[in-house]
Amino acid sequence: MPGRSSPQRGVRALLKHPVVSPYVRLSAAVLVLNAVIAVAVWPDLTQPGAADLALANLAAAIFLRQRHVVNIAFRLATRMPRSWPYALRWAAGKVSHYGGLHVGTATAGVAWYLVSVGFLVRSGEPMVLPIVIAAGLVVLTALAVRPVRERWHDLFERAHRWGGWALLVLVVADTVRTSDGATWQPWVVGLVVLSAAWPWLRLRRVPVEVTRHSRHAASVRFPHPPTFPPGSAVTLSLAPLREWHSFAAIGTGEGGYGRVLISRAGDWTGRFIDDPPSHVWLKSGPIAGMGGAAALFPRVLFVATGSGIGPLMSVMTRRDLPFRLLWITRDPVATYGEELLAEVRQLAPDFVVWNTGEQGKPDVLALTEQHCAESGAEAVICVSNKRLTWQVVTGMEQRGVASYGAIWDS
């Protein structure tokens, strides 16, 4: 197991804590860079200069969430040769923390925009539109703070969708008002509008076949899907103007179909399982997920609890990836059906299943460490709830093993 005997384990334990995760460090790096720029330009800063810095940061924040940009970043990061140093591959696998750059640039952009509005207030110029934009940015930023976002997620999602579009319209109007068309700002605003609109321009309603495995879980099959690369996710909706939900794709099966596995985790998923639809809406194409980090290592341990098996089934279809699967779930046959269990067995003939209905709840971290050592895995990929994911990822990384899991940043 890489790094288990390192004498610097105490330092590693501190650096691998979620409070200083790559996500947080990327956010902090962007904010520090903007602070350095502020110190350098402050004596000569003008309102147009502050507005330009605001536009540059906010445009970067939007581009960093664009699906094509994300997929390109994942493709580049996960193509690093397995012969490269372990630390580099470990870091490259953290590409899923790109959201930290989004948070940093968005926060800096709002701050610079408030500074530019402050210049306008001091100069006495007409400023109704900039003040409305500034107020909207502050509200969206407040709703995006993690405790607020998690407590009122539907409000956050709808405010970001509709409020974001409204602010974009106002920014376009303000750019037209203040620009003579010969500068770079209108071009950047135009690209931002195109980037935000692109997923909606590819919106489509597609037929699905839903197989209800139990009251807890159902599979959704797409008879004519787009290509679902290993480790990717798709975004589904029954009412595209209200809410969207992301699910890991299980790739394209032998029948030429792709699937997602949906488990009961709230009102929307509960309604979906109880009253399966005949069609769903798909927005744009699939987006790369953290499971792609598996390509960086010669042997990987997959850890799934419950329906977390779905996201991992996609990655396990890669024939060039030696792995061991540890699946912790309650009564797998009763919950997911013999057909799905047989498929898991085919993908991972020597997989280990811990049936919590018979064996009780295990110490997941200890079990992960045991199977990681036994299998000789260089990395762990965990798909579970937030508490267990962070426990496994943090615990294994503090033991010197590259580990990956969802980061719940949306």
Side-chain angles (χ1 to χ4, degrees), residues 16 61 93 112 124 185 195 217 235 261 310 322 341 351 396-397 403:
K16 298 305 179 182
W112 281 118
Q185 293 90 340
S195 175
T235 311
L261 183 64
L341 193 61
F351 82 105
M396 294 305 296
E397 295 218 321
S403 302

Side-chain angles (χ1 to χ4, degrees), residues 9-295:
R9 181 167 173 173
V11 175
R12 183 193 300 122
L14 177 64
L15 293 177
K16 298 305 179 182
H17 193 279
V19 173
V20 289
S21 68
Y23 186 97
V24 175
R25 282 180 252 169
L26 288 171
S27 298
V30 172
L31 293 175
V32 168
L33 176 60
N34 275 272
V36 170
I37 293 173
V39 171
V41 304
W42 194 262
D44 303 312
L45 186 64
T46 61
Q47 189 278 328
D52 287 348
L53 287 166
L55 177 58
N57 276 278
L58 292 172
I62 293 173
F63 291 143
L64 287 165
R65 284 293 193 189
Q66 218 284 335
R67 287 171 177 252
H68 292 295
V69 173
V70 173
N71 287 341
I72 290 171
F74 269 83
R75 193 173 298 120
L76 292 174
T78 57
R79 284 186 176 178
M80 183 177 291
R82 294 175 184 172
S83 59
W84 284 25
Y86 184 68
L88 288 179
R89 289 180 284 128
W90 185 337
K94 296 295 182 180
V95 63
S96 58
H97 289 247
Y98 67 88
L101 295 174
H102 167 81
V103 170
T105 50
T107 303
V110 172
W112 281 118
Y113 196 83
L114 293 177
V115 170
S116 74
V117 171
F119 276 111
L120 291 177
V121 171
R122 191 171 65 179
S123 67
E125 295 183 24
M127 52 186 181
V128 174
L129 193 55
I131 285 180
V132 172
I133 294 173
L137 289 172
V138 170
V139 170
L140 292 187
T141 301
L143 290 174
V145 175
R146 186 183 290 272
V148 178
R149 183 180 73 232
E150 292 179 349
R151 176 66 179 82
W152 294 285
H153 189 268
D154 288 346
L155 175 61
F156 155 75
E157 188 177 87
R158 292 172 187 177
H160 261 63
R161 181 177 304 119
W162 296 109
W165 275 107
L167 286 176
L168 199 52
V169 170
L170 294 179
V171 168
V172 170
D174 196 43
T175 302
V176 171
R177 180 181 67 86
T178 59
S179 175
D180 59 7
T183 56
W184 59 273
Q185 293 90 340
W187 293 99
V188 172
V189 171
L191 289 174
V192 167
V193 171
L194 179 61
S195 175
W198 186 252
W200 294 90
L201 295 176
R202 299 185 63 193
L203 185 68
R204 55 209 174 102
R205 186 169 180 262
V206 299
V208 292
E209 300 169 6
V210 180
T211 301
R212 192 172 186 267
H213 301 296
S214 68
R215 183 180 177 277
H216 176 74
S219 292
V220 182
R221 178 181 296 183
F222 299 86
H224 305 289
T227 300
F228 288 161
S232 63
V234 292
T235 311
L236 311 180
S237 179
L238 299 178
L241 297 182
R242 290 205 303 269
E243 59 182 337
W244 288 86
H245 299 268
S246 291
F247 298 94
I250 309 181
T252 303
E254 293 180 2
Y257 53 80
R259 291 168 298 158
V260 299
L261 183 64
I262 294 179
S263 63
R264 189 180 294 270
D267 294 341
W268 190 91
T269 53
R271 290 194 302 269
F272 195 104
I273 294 170
D274 294 336
D275 185 20
S278 61
H279 292 73
V280 299
W281 290 89
L282 280 176
K283 183 168 65 175
S284 191
I287 187 170
M290 59 86 190

